[in-house]
Amino acid sequence: MIIAVVVVLVLIVFGLIIYNVSIHKKIQKFKNMNQKITNLYVVQDFMNAIGETSTVEQKIKKINDILIERYEIKYSTIVVFDGAEYQVKASNVDSKHWGALKALQEVDMFKDSIQSATPKYVTVNNENERLPYQEMEFGRAKSAIFFPLYIDNVYIGYWIIESGTPHDFDNVDTTVLEVIKENIVSVLKTVVHQKTLESIVRKDLFTGLYNEEYLYGEGKKVIDQYTISTICMFKIINLQEINRKYSRELGNKVITQVSQYVAENLSEDYVFVRYMGPKFVIAFSGVESNSVADFLNDIKEKVESMQIELTDEEKQELNLEVKPSSKAKAKSTEREIATPKLNFVISSYYKGTGLEEILKKLEEYLDQADRTESDITNI
């Protein structure tokens, strides 16, 4: 009888053990599933941050904020090497500590981490100690994980997370952190192209207008505040003739005065750039194409009524021949006067579509149009 009771109790114990193991597996499975869902949300947030019309620095800062919020990280810092020096691209640590944070590649323990492309976990055992890389701060961080960042096997910087509690990362799921690190790398890889565009934005020497690259960065940020806009490209079609018949200096003055007149008559909400050579682009943000016709007709009429010539003072500055002032009649008949002729083409642009494709289409139209065409065409 006693043996039977013992057997039953043993079976019950084994049953409870199996049940507890099963429950533990289900809980672990639920945690893993919940973590995967969290990771998916984070990835989605990352993609949204990339898609936002903002600068590279703003995007990286937004991504760091997402990490801090989603994973409840105390301190998170992303440092990137820009080819000349290490720069803190995003951090929620007080800026007075950034000097130390952007010099971690010089710390021996992190040098090994960079060379082996593996994370490095450091911590202290009590509140009176400090982490090896901390120079003048004692109370802020007591444990940290350092992640070197690579794009296509090229070292580009690092991501470091910190906590004010010793051994706070002892039981952290490093697999999740590796996934986050790879997402950071993916974001940096994506925005590097935007950074390149931002770095080559220039202002044109003669007109003071931004160049074509401006359209794809800050310009697009303005345009994409609206669902639909109108993109207009126009060309001074007789600029080469003016350069050849008179002088390149007079051609430059034509470019300057035409662009100045257009700029003075444009709203600040619109984007105006010198696209290339005799071509210019106006982005009418938030305006449909049928609403810009009257404005463009007026611009065309005013510009094509201009009579542009170099003054004697300008000729002297440019070391050009100045006609004798005593020969008034001869001077009046020999005046070098240029009258610009414009050809316009416009198209609708919808937010989220390829702006560069529309510009390419407009440019091809102007380049293939008859040399004498001077019109406003909607394509």
Side-chain angles (χ1 to χ4, degrees):
M1 184 67 180
I2 295 175
I3 294 175
V5 172
V6 171
V7 170
V8 170
L9 289 174
V10 169
L11 290 174
I12 291 173
V13 169
F14 273 112
L16 289 173
I17 291 173
I18 293 171
Y19 176 76
N20 286 334
V21 169
S22 175
I23 292 295
H24 176 74
K25 286 182 178 179
K26 288 180 179 180
I27 292 173
Q28 193 62 42
K29 185 177 180 181
F30 174 79
K31 286 182 178 179
N32 291 337
M33 185 178 298
N34 187 55
Q35 187 62 63
K36 288 179 181 178
I37 292 172
T38 300
N39 290 341
L40 286 174
Y41 278 128
V42 170
V43 171
Q44 182 61 52
D45 287 344
F46 277 12
M47 294 304 101
N48 291 338
I50 293 174
E52 289 178 351
T53 52
S54 54
T55 65
V56 170
E57 281 73 16
Q58 289 171 330
K59 288 179 180 180
I60 297 176
K61 184 180 183 303
K62 179 70 177 292
I63 288 162
N64 200 51
D65 291 341
I66 291 170
L67 295 176
I68 293 166
E69 179 183 353
R70 288 285 189 180
Y71 294 104
E72 298 181 352
I73 297 172
K74 180 66 174 177
Y75 301 110
S76 175
T77 301
I78 299 172
V79 178
V80 176
F81 183 64
D82 65 1
E85 61 180 352
Y86 287 84
Q87 293 186 350
V88 175
K89 291 296 184 180
S91 179
N92 65 329
V93 177
D94 193 304
S95 59
K96 67 182 180 181
H97 302 307
W98 286 11
L101 286 172
K102 67 180 182 180
L104 298 185
Q105 74 284 348
E106 299 174 4
V107 179
D108 288 339
M109 69 173 67
F110 296 139
K111 286 181 180 178
D112 294 337
S113 175
I114 293 169
Q115 290 175 357
S116 61
T118 56
K120 179 68 176 180
Y121 176 36
V122 291
T123 186
V124 297
N125 293 315
N126 60 68
E127 294 291 341
N128 296 323
E129 296 181 84
R130 68 176 179 180
L131 296 175
Y133 63 86
Q134 293 179 312
E135 297 176 351
M136 59 180 182
E137 44 178 332
F138 289 88
R140 185 181 64 81
K142 297 299 180 182
S143 54
I145 307 181
F146 176 93
F147 296 89
L149 303 176
Y150 288 80
I151 292 181
D152 298 331
N153 296 322
V154 177
Y155 172 67
I156 61 160
Y158 48 87
W159 170 47
I160 183 169
I161 59 174
E162 301 170 291
S163 170
T165 304
H167 295 280
D168 200 26
F169 298 122
D170 285 3
N171 299 314
V172 72
D173 187 349
T174 56
T175 304
V176 173
L177 292 177
E178 282 291 333
V179 171
I180 298 171
K181 184 201 75 173
E182 291 306 316
N183 286 332
I184 293 173
V185 171
S186 297
V187 170
L188 293 174
K189 190 174 183 178
T190 301
V191 300
V192 70
H193 303 293
Q194 181 184 343
K195 185 63 178 177
T196 301
L197 279 176
E198 291 175 0
S199 65
I200 61 177
V201 169
R202 297 287 186 273
K203 279 194 174 183
D204 178 60
L205 176 63
F206 299 109
T207 64
L209 301 175
Y210 284 110
N211 59 6
E212 172 193 354
E213 285 73 22
Y214 179 81
L215 283 171
Y216 306 115
E218 287 300 307
K220 197 169 187 295
K221 180 179 178 180
V222 175
I223 301 168
D224 279 352
Q225 292 177 6
Y226 305 89
T227 304
I228 184 171
S229 299
T230 298
I231 307 299
C232 166
M233 184 180 291
F234 70 87
K235 179 180 181 181
I236 305 175
I237 58 176
N238 62 337
L239 183 62
Q240 286 185 340
E241 179 186 345
I242 293 169
N243 289 340
R244 184 175 60 253
K245 184 177 179 181
Y246 302 117
S247 66
R248 182 170 293 275
E249 289 76 16
L250 181 55
N252 290 339
K253 187 170 183 179
V254 168
I255 290 173
T256 302
Q257 292 206 356
V258 169
S259 60
Q260 183 178 347
Y261 177 80
V262 175
E264 288 173 350
N265 286 275
L266 279 179
S267 165
E268 292 182 357
D269 295 331
Y270 304 150
V271 179
F272 182 35
V273 301
R274 185 176 184 185
Y275 187 74
M276 188 181 299
K279 304 186 194 81
F280 297 80
V281 170
I282 307 171
F284 294 95
S285 313
V287 179
E288 296 190 22
S289 55
N290 57 2
S291 301
V292 304
D294 290 340
F295 173 78
L296 293 180
N297 274 315
D298 184 60
I299 288 289
K300 179 175 170 59
E301 181 181 341
K302 293 293 194 302
V303 169
E304 294 185 346
S305 65
M306 289 181 175
Q307 292 190 327
I308 303 171
E309 61 181 321
L310 295 173
T311 65
D312 288 346
E313 290 77 10
E314 288 172 332
K315 290 179 181 179
Q316 288 174 349
E317 289 178 4
L318 297 166
N319 293 321
L320 298 177
E321 181 184 356
V322 180
K323 301 291 190 271
S325 58
S326 59
K327 298 181 180 179
K329 184 175 181 180
K331 183 179 179 182
S332 64
T333 58
E334 294 177 9
R335 289 171 61 193
E336 296 179 345
I337 299 175
T339 300
K341 297 294 180 184
L342 306 181
N343 196 15
F344 289 82
V345 59
I346 62 176
S347 182
S348 296
Y349 165 75
Y350 297 89
K351 179 180 178 180
T353 59
L355 179 59
E356 64 281 0
E357 293 300 320
I358 292 177
L359 293 169
K360 181 180 178 182
K361 181 175 67 172
L362 298 179
E363 184 178 22
E364 285 177 351
Y365 178 88
L366 289 177
D367 287 343
Q368 295 171 7
D370 188 280
R371 289 186 179 183
T372 61
E373 180 182 321
S374 178
D375 209 343
I376 300 175
T377 306
N378 191 342
I379 61 174

